[in-house]
PDB file of all heavy atoms in Angstrom:
ATOM      1  N   ALA Z 292     -90.763 -61.105 -79.085  1.00 94.00           N
ATOM      2  CA  ALA Z 292     -91.736 -60.568 -80.043  1.00 94.00           C
ATOM      3  C   ALA Z 292     -93.109 -60.394 -79.384  1.00 94.00           C
ATOM      4  O   ALA Z 292     -93.801 -59.401 -79.628  1.00 94.00           O
ATOM      5  CB  ALA Z 292     -91.840 -61.487 -81.260  1.00 94.00           C
ATOM      6  N   GLU Z 293     -93.491 -61.352 -78.557  1.00 95.00           N
ATOM      7  CA  GLU Z 293     -94.776 -61.250 -77.865  1.00 95.00           C
ATOM      8  C   GLU Z 293     -94.801 -60.050 -76.927  1.00 95.00           C
ATOM      9  O   GLU Z 293     -95.790 -59.308 -76.866  1.00 95.00           O
ATOM     10  CB  GLU Z 293     -95.031 -62.547 -77.081  1.00 95.00           C
ATOM     11  CG  GLU Z 293     -96.285 -62.536 -76.217  1.00 95.00           C
ATOM     12  CD  GLU Z 293     -97.560 -62.406 -77.030  1.00 95.00           C
ATOM     13  OE1 GLU Z 293     -97.540 -62.718 -78.229  1.00 95.00           O
ATOM     14  OE2 GLU Z 293     -98.585 -61.985 -76.448  1.00 95.00           O
ATOM     15  N   LEU Z 294     -93.719 -59.845 -76.193  1.00 95.00           N
ATOM     16  CA  LEU Z 294     -93.651 -58.698 -75.287  1.00 95.00           C
ATOM     17  C   LEU Z 294     -93.656 -57.384 -76.059  1.00 95.00           C
ATOM     18  O   LEU Z 294     -94.294 -56.407 -75.626  1.00 95.00           O
ATOM     19  CB  LEU Z 294     -92.391 -58.800 -74.418  1.00 95.00           C
ATOM     20  CG  LEU Z 294     -92.414 -59.904 -73.354  1.00 95.00           C
ATOM     21  CD1 LEU Z 294     -91.050 -60.028 -72.689  1.00 95.00           C
ATOM     22  CD2 LEU Z 294     -93.482 -59.632 -72.309  1.00 95.00           C
ATOM     23  N   GLU Z 295     -92.965 -57.329 -77.172  1.00 94.00           N
ATOM     24  CA  GLU Z 295     -92.953 -56.100 -77.978  1.00 94.00           C
ATOM     25  C   GLU Z 295     -94.348 -55.774 -78.516  1.00 94.00           C
ATOM     26  O   GLU Z 295     -94.759 -54.611 -78.551  1.00 94.00           O
ATOM     27  CB  GLU Z 295     -91.948 -56.240 -79.123  1.00 94.00           C
ATOM     28  CG  GLU Z 295     -90.500 -56.190 -78.651  1.00 94.00           C
ATOM     29  CD  GLU Z 295     -89.513 -56.553 -79.751  1.00 94.00           C
ATOM     30  OE1 GLU Z 295     -89.968 -56.923 -80.858  1.00 94.00           O
ATOM     31  OE2 GLU Z 295     -88.290 -56.481 -79.511  1.00 94.00           O
ATOM     32  N   LYS Z 296     -95.099 -56.796 -78.915  1.00 94.00           N
ATOM     33  CA  LYS Z 296     -96.468 -56.572 -79.376  1.00 94.00           C
ATOM     34  C   LYS Z 296     -97.339 -56.020 -78.257  1.00 94.00           C
ATOM     35  O   LYS Z 296     -98.180 -55.145 -78.481  1.00 94.00           O
ATOM     36  CB  LYS Z 296     -97.055 -57.884 -79.906  1.00 94.00           C
ATOM     37  CG  LYS Z 296     -96.455 -58.354 -81.217  1.00 94.00           C
ATOM     38  CD  LYS Z 296     -97.082 -59.670 -81.657  1.00 94.00           C
ATOM     39  CE  LYS Z 296     -96.436 -60.189 -82.945  1.00 94.00           C
ATOM     40  NZ  LYS Z 296     -97.015 -61.503 -83.344  1.00 94.00           N
ATOM     41  N   ARG Z 297     -97.136 -56.530 -77.068  1.00 94.00           N
ATOM     42  CA  ARG Z 297     -97.941 -56.071 -75.939  1.00 94.00           C
ATOM     43  C   ARG Z 297     -97.591 -54.633 -75.552  1.00 94.00           C
ATOM     44  O   ARG Z 297     -98.471 -53.850 -75.182  1.00 94.00           O
ATOM     45  CB  ARG Z 297     -97.750 -57.011 -74.745  1.00 94.00           C
ATOM     46  CG  ARG Z 297     -98.389 -58.376 -74.962  1.00 94.00           C
ATOM     47  CD  ARG Z 297     -98.147 -59.328 -73.811  1.00 94.00           C
ATOM     48  NE  ARG Z 297     -98.830 -60.590 -74.022  1.00 94.00           N
ATOM     49  CZ  ARG Z 297    -100.096 -60.840 -73.691  1.00 94.00           C
ATOM     50  NH1 ARG Z 297    -100.801 -59.889 -73.088  1.00 94.00           N
ATOM     51  NH2 ARG Z 297    -100.647 -62.007 -73.912  1.00 94.00           N
ATOM     52  N   VAL Z 298     -96.315 -54.288 -75.631  1.00 94.00           N
ATOM     53  CA  VAL Z 298     -95.927 -52.905 -75.352  1.00 94.00           C
ATOM     54  C   VAL Z 298     -96.517 -51.979 -76.413  1.00 94.00           C
ATOM     55  O   VAL Z 298     -97.016 -50.895 -76.098  1.00 94.00           O
ATOM     56  CB  VAL Z 298     -94.395 -52.767 -75.297  1.00 94.00           C
ATOM     57  CG1 VAL Z 298     -93.987 -51.303 -75.146  1.00 94.00           C
ATOM     58  CG2 VAL Z 298     -93.832 -53.576 -74.134  1.00 94.00           C
ATOM     59  N   SER Z 299     -96.478 -52.406 -77.671  1.00 94.00           N
ATOM     60  CA  SER Z 299     -97.046 -51.590 -78.753  1.00 94.00           C
ATOM     61  C   SER Z 299     -98.532 -51.342 -78.545  1.00 94.00           C
ATOM     62  O   SER Z 299     -99.037 -50.267 -78.866  1.00 94.00           O
ATOM     63  CB  SER Z 299     -96.824 -52.275 -80.105  1.00 94.00           C
ATOM     64  OG  SER Z 299     -95.449 -52.349 -80.422  1.00 94.00           O
ATOM     65  N   ALA Z 300     -99.238 -52.348 -78.001  1.00 92.00           N
ATOM     66  CA  ALA Z 300    -100.686 -52.232 -77.843  1.00 92.00           C
ATOM     67  C   ALA Z 300    -101.075 -51.137 -76.853  1.00 92.00           C
ATOM     68  O   ALA Z 300    -102.173 -50.573 -76.946  1.00 92.00           O
ATOM     69  CB  ALA Z 300    -101.265 -53.574 -77.389  1.00 92.00           C
ATOM     70  N   VAL Z 301    -100.187 -50.833 -75.897  1.00 92.00           N
ATOM     71  CA  VAL Z 301    -100.508 -49.810 -74.886  1.00 92.00           C
ATOM     72  C   VAL Z 301     -99.487 -48.677 -74.933  1.00 92.00           C
ATOM     73  O   VAL Z 301     -99.233 -48.011 -73.936  1.00 92.00           O
ATOM     74  CB  VAL Z 301    -100.570 -50.429 -73.473  1.00 92.00           C
ATOM     75  CG1 VAL Z 301    -101.780 -51.314 -73.328  1.00 92.00           C
ATOM     76  CG2 VAL Z 301     -99.294 -51.224 -73.161  1.00 92.00           C
ATOM     77  N   MET Z 302     -98.916 -48.460 -76.128  1.00 93.00           N
ATOM     78  CA  MET Z 302     -97.840 -47.490 -76.276  1.00 93.00           C
ATOM     79  C   MET Z 302     -98.271 -46.074 -75.922  1.00 93.00           C
ATOM     80  O   MET Z 302     -97.444 -45.258 -75.475  1.00 93.00           O
ATOM     81  CB  MET Z 302     -97.323 -47.535 -77.721  1.00 93.00           C
ATOM     82  CG  MET Z 302     -96.122 -46.667 -77.991  1.00 93.00           C
ATOM     83  SD  MET Z 302     -94.684 -47.211 -77.053  1.00 93.00           S
ATOM     84  CE  MET Z 302     -93.623 -45.791 -77.240  1.00 93.00           C
ATOM     85  N   GLU Z 303     -99.542 -45.743 -76.097  1.00 92.00           N
ATOM     86  CA  GLU Z 303     -99.980 -44.374 -75.806  1.00 92.00           C
ATOM     87  C   GLU Z 303     -99.868 -44.030 -74.327  1.00 92.00           C
ATOM     88  O   GLU Z 303     -99.894 -42.857 -73.952  1.00 92.00           O
ATOM     89  CB  GLU Z 303    -101.415 -44.154 -76.278  1.00 92.00           C
ATOM     90  CG  GLU Z 303    -102.456 -44.974 -75.562  1.00 92.00           C
ATOM     91  CD  GLU Z 303    -102.768 -46.267 -76.297  1.00 92.00           C
ATOM     92  OE1 GLU Z 303    -101.858 -46.803 -76.967  1.00 92.00           O
ATOM     93  OE2 GLU Z 303    -103.909 -46.741 -76.197  1.00 92.00           O
ATOM     94  N   HIS Z 304     -99.732 -45.057 -73.467  1.00 93.00           N
ATOM     95  CA  HIS Z 304     -99.585 -44.824 -72.032  1.00 93.00           C
ATOM     96  C   HIS Z 304     -98.120 -44.808 -71.593  1.00 93.00           C
ATOM     97  O   HIS Z 304     -97.839 -44.675 -70.396  1.00 93.00           O
ATOM     98  CB  HIS Z 304    -100.336 -45.899 -71.241  1.00 93.00           C
ATOM     99  CG  HIS Z 304    -101.785 -46.008 -71.585  1.00 93.00           C
ATOM    100  ND1 HIS Z 304    -102.678 -44.981 -71.390  1.00 93.00           N
ATOM    101  CD2 HIS Z 304    -102.502 -47.023 -72.143  1.00 93.00           C
ATOM    102  CE1 HIS Z 304    -103.882 -45.340 -71.790  1.00 93.00           C
ATOM    103  NE2 HIS Z 304    -103.810 -46.580 -72.265  1.00 93.00           N
ATOM    104  N   ALA Z 305     -97.208 -44.939 -72.536  1.00 92.00           N
ATOM    105  CA  ALA Z 305     -95.783 -45.013 -72.191  1.00 92.00           C
ATOM    106  C   ALA Z 305     -95.240 -43.647 -71.805  1.00 92.00           C
ATOM    107  O   ALA Z 305     -95.694 -42.610 -72.285  1.00 92.00           O
ATOM    108  CB  ALA Z 305     -94.987 -45.569 -73.364  1.00 92.00           C
ATOM    109  N   THR Z 306     -94.264 -43.669 -70.928  1.00 92.00           N
ATOM    110  CA  THR Z 306     -93.528 -42.463 -70.568  1.00 92.00           C
ATOM    111  C   THR Z 306     -92.098 -42.603 -71.081  1.00 92.00           C
ATOM    112  O   THR Z 306     -91.688 -43.669 -71.548  1.00 92.00           O
ATOM    113  CB  THR Z 306     -93.513 -42.267 -69.050  1.00 92.00           C
ATOM    114  OG1 THR Z 306     -92.786 -43.363 -68.436  1.00 92.00           O
ATOM    115  CG2 THR Z 306     -94.926 -42.225 -68.478  1.00 92.00           C
ATOM    116  N   VAL Z 307     -91.354 -41.521 -70.975  1.00 92.00           N
ATOM    117  CA  VAL Z 307     -89.953 -41.565 -71.402  1.00 92.00           C
ATOM    118  C   VAL Z 307     -89.178 -42.583 -70.567  1.00 92.00           C
ATOM    119  O   VAL Z 307     -88.341 -43.326 -71.088  1.00 92.00           O
ATOM    120  CB  VAL Z 307     -89.315 -40.167 -71.280  1.00 92.00           C
ATOM    121  CG1 VAL Z 307     -87.833 -40.227 -71.619  1.00 92.00           C
ATOM    122  CG2 VAL Z 307     -90.015 -39.185 -72.203  1.00 92.00           C
ATOM    123  N   ASP Z 308     -89.467 -42.642 -69.276  1.00 91.00           N
ATOM    124  CA  ASP Z 308     -88.772 -43.594 -68.408  1.00 91.00           C
ATOM    125  C   ASP Z 308     -89.032 -45.032 -68.837  1.00 91.00           C
ATOM    126  O   ASP Z 308     -88.142 -45.889 -68.736  1.00 91.00           O
ATOM    127  CB  ASP Z 308     -89.209 -43.403 -66.952  1.00 91.00           C
ATOM    128  CG  ASP Z 308     -88.624 -42.144 -66.343  1.00 91.00           C
ATOM    129  OD1 ASP Z 308     -87.625 -41.639 -66.876  1.00 91.00           O
ATOM    130  OD2 ASP Z 308     -89.171 -41.662 -65.336  1.00 91.00           O
ATOM    131  N   ASP Z 309     -90.246 -45.326 -69.292  1.00 90.00           N
ATOM    132  CA  ASP Z 309     -90.548 -46.683 -69.759  1.00 90.00           C
ATOM    133  C   ASP Z 309     -89.656 -47.060 -70.937  1.00 90.00           C
ATOM    134  O   ASP Z 309     -89.131 -48.176 -70.991  1.00 90.00           O
ATOM    135  CB  ASP Z 309     -92.020 -46.783 -70.169  1.00 90.00           C
ATOM    136  CG  ASP Z 309     -92.961 -46.617 -68.989  1.00 90.00           C
ATOM    137  OD1 ASP Z 309     -92.573 -46.991 -67.872  1.00 90.00           O
ATOM    138  OD2 ASP Z 309     -94.078 -46.095 -69.188  1.00 90.00           O
ATOM    139  N   LEU Z 310     -89.493 -46.146 -71.868  1.00 91.00           N
ATOM    140  CA  LEU Z 310     -88.646 -46.435 -73.037  1.00 91.00           C
ATOM    141  C   LEU Z 310     -87.171 -46.486 -72.661  1.00 91.00           C
ATOM    142  O   LEU Z 310     -86.400 -47.259 -73.243  1.00 91.00           O
ATOM    143  CB  LEU Z 310     -88.875 -45.379 -74.119  1.00 91.00           C
ATOM    144  CG  LEU Z 310     -90.276 -45.342 -74.735  1.00 91.00           C
ATOM    145  CD1 LEU Z 310     -90.342 -44.292 -75.841  1.00 91.00           C
ATOM    146  CD2 LEU Z 310     -90.668 -46.701 -75.292  1.00 91.00           C
ATOM    147  N   LEU Z 311     -86.780 -45.667 -71.690  1.00 89.00           N
ATOM    148  CA  LEU Z 311     -85.380 -45.685 -71.265  1.00 89.00           C
ATOM    149  C   LEU Z 311     -85.032 -47.001 -70.577  1.00 89.00           C
ATOM    150  O   LEU Z 311     -83.878 -47.439 -70.607  1.00 89.00           O
ATOM    151  CB  LEU Z 311     -85.099 -44.513 -70.328  1.00 89.00           C
ATOM    152  CG  LEU Z 311     -85.107 -43.128 -70.984  1.00 89.00           C
ATOM    153  CD1 LEU Z 311     -84.867 -42.049 -69.939  1.00 89.00           C
ATOM    154  CD2 LEU Z 311     -84.064 -43.031 -72.081  1.00 89.00           C
ATOM    155  N   VAL Z 312     -86.019 -47.629 -69.950  1.00 88.00           N
ATOM    156  CA  VAL Z 312     -85.791 -48.944 -69.340  1.00 88.00           C
ATOM    157  C   VAL Z 312     -85.309 -49.928 -70.391  1.00 88.00           C
ATOM    158  O   VAL Z 312     -84.442 -50.765 -70.139  1.00 88.00           O
ATOM    159  CB  VAL Z 312     -87.086 -49.451 -68.664  1.00 88.00           C
ATOM    160  CG1 VAL Z 312     -87.019 -50.943 -68.399  1.00 88.00           C
ATOM    161  CG2 VAL Z 312     -87.321 -48.718 -67.350  1.00 88.00           C
ATOM    162  N   LEU Z 313     -85.857 -49.806 -71.594  1.00 86.00           N
ATOM    163  CA  LEU Z 313     -85.454 -50.706 -72.682  1.00 86.00           C
ATOM    164  C   LEU Z 313     -84.107 -50.335 -73.282  1.00 86.00           C
ATOM    165  O   LEU Z 313     -83.482 -51.156 -73.950  1.00 86.00           O
ATOM    166  CB  LEU Z 313     -86.507 -50.670 -73.797  1.00 86.00           C
ATOM    167  CG  LEU Z 313     -87.912 -51.139 -73.440  1.00 86.00           C
ATOM    168  CD1 LEU Z 313     -88.831 -50.955 -74.636  1.00 86.00           C
ATOM    169  CD2 LEU Z 313     -87.906 -52.580 -72.996  1.00 86.00           C
ATOM    170  N   SER Z 314     -83.663 -49.104 -73.071  1.00 84.00           N
ATOM    171  CA  SER Z 314     -82.535 -48.581 -73.836  1.00 84.00           C
ATOM    172  C   SER Z 314     -81.198 -48.673 -73.123  1.00 84.00           C
ATOM    173  O   SER Z 314     -80.220 -49.146 -73.697  1.00 84.00           O
ATOM    174  CB  SER Z 314     -82.810 -47.116 -74.211  1.00 84.00           C
ATOM    175  OG  SER Z 314     -84.016 -47.010 -74.930  1.00 84.00           O
ATOM    176  N   PHE Z 315     -81.151 -48.206 -71.887  1.00 78.00           N
ATOM    177  CA  PHE Z 315     -79.850 -48.048 -71.251  1.00 78.00           C
ATOM    178  C   PHE Z 315     -79.463 -49.249 -70.416  1.00 78.00           C
ATOM    179  O   PHE Z 315     -80.299 -49.892 -69.792  1.00 78.00           O
ATOM    180  CB  PHE Z 315     -79.834 -46.800 -70.363  1.00 78.00           C
ATOM    181  CG  PHE Z 315     -79.706 -45.524 -71.136  1.00 78.00           C
ATOM    182  CD1 PHE Z 315     -80.794 -44.704 -71.325  1.00 78.00           C
ATOM    183  CD2 PHE Z 315     -78.503 -45.163 -71.699  1.00 78.00           C
ATOM    184  CE1 PHE Z 315     -80.689 -43.534 -72.051  1.00 78.00           C
ATOM    185  CE2 PHE Z 315     -78.375 -43.996 -72.425  1.00 78.00           C
ATOM    186  CZ  PHE Z 315     -79.479 -43.181 -72.606  1.00 78.00           C
ATOM    187  N   THR Z 316     -78.169 -49.525 -70.411  1.00 74.00           N
ATOM    188  CA  THR Z 316     -77.633 -50.549 -69.529  1.00 74.00           C
ATOM    189  C   THR Z 316     -77.610 -50.007 -68.112  1.00 74.00           C
ATOM    190  O   THR Z 316     -77.918 -48.842 -67.867  1.00 74.00           O
ATOM    191  CB  THR Z 316     -76.213 -50.937 -69.972  1.00 74.00           C
ATOM    192  OG1 THR Z 316     -75.429 -49.738 -70.084  1.00 74.00           O
ATOM    193  CG2 THR Z 316     -76.236 -51.631 -71.313  1.00 74.00           C
ATOM    194  N   SER Z 317     -77.248 -50.859 -67.170  1.00 65.00           N
ATOM    195  CA  SER Z 317     -77.316 -50.469 -65.766  1.00 65.00           C
ATOM    196  C   SER Z 317     -76.385 -49.311 -65.431  1.00 65.00           C
ATOM    197  O   SER Z 317     -76.613 -48.601 -64.463  1.00 65.00           O
ATOM    198  CB  SER Z 317     -76.967 -51.667 -64.875  1.00 65.00           C
ATOM    199  OG  SER Z 317     -75.672 -52.157 -65.205  1.00 65.00           O
ATOM    200  N   ASP Z 318     -75.338 -49.082 -66.260  1.00 62.00           N
ATOM    201  CA  ASP Z 318     -74.443 -47.960 -65.985  1.00 62.00           C
ATOM    202  C   ASP Z 318     -74.998 -46.645 -66.519  1.00 62.00           C
ATOM    203  O   ASP Z 318     -74.451 -45.577 -66.260  1.00 62.00           O
ATOM    204  CB  ASP Z 318     -73.046 -48.213 -66.574  1.00 62.00           C
ATOM    205  CG  ASP Z 318     -73.088 -48.457 -68.084  1.00 62.00           C
ATOM    206  OD1 ASP Z 318     -74.179 -48.292 -68.683  1.00 62.00           O
ATOM    207  OD2 ASP Z 318     -72.055 -48.813 -68.651  1.00 62.00           O
ATOM    208  N   GLY Z 319     -76.103 -46.708 -67.292  1.00 61.00           N
ATOM    209  CA  GLY Z 319     -76.733 -45.495 -67.789  1.00 61.00           C
ATOM    210  C   GLY Z 319     -75.950 -44.793 -68.877  1.00 61.00           C
ATOM    211  O   GLY Z 319     -76.277 -43.683 -69.269  1.00 61.00           O
TER     212      GLY Z 319
END
Side-chain angles (χ1 to χ4, degrees):
E293 175 64 21
L294 289 172
E295 288 171 356
K296 289 179 183 178
R297 290 177 177 274
V298 174
S299 295
V301 290
M302 185 64 194
E303 65 266 31
H304 304 298
T306 64
V307 176
D308 287 340
D309 294 329
L310 295 183
L311 290 178
V312 163
L313 298 177
S314 303
F315 283 104
T316 53
S317 58
D318 58 7

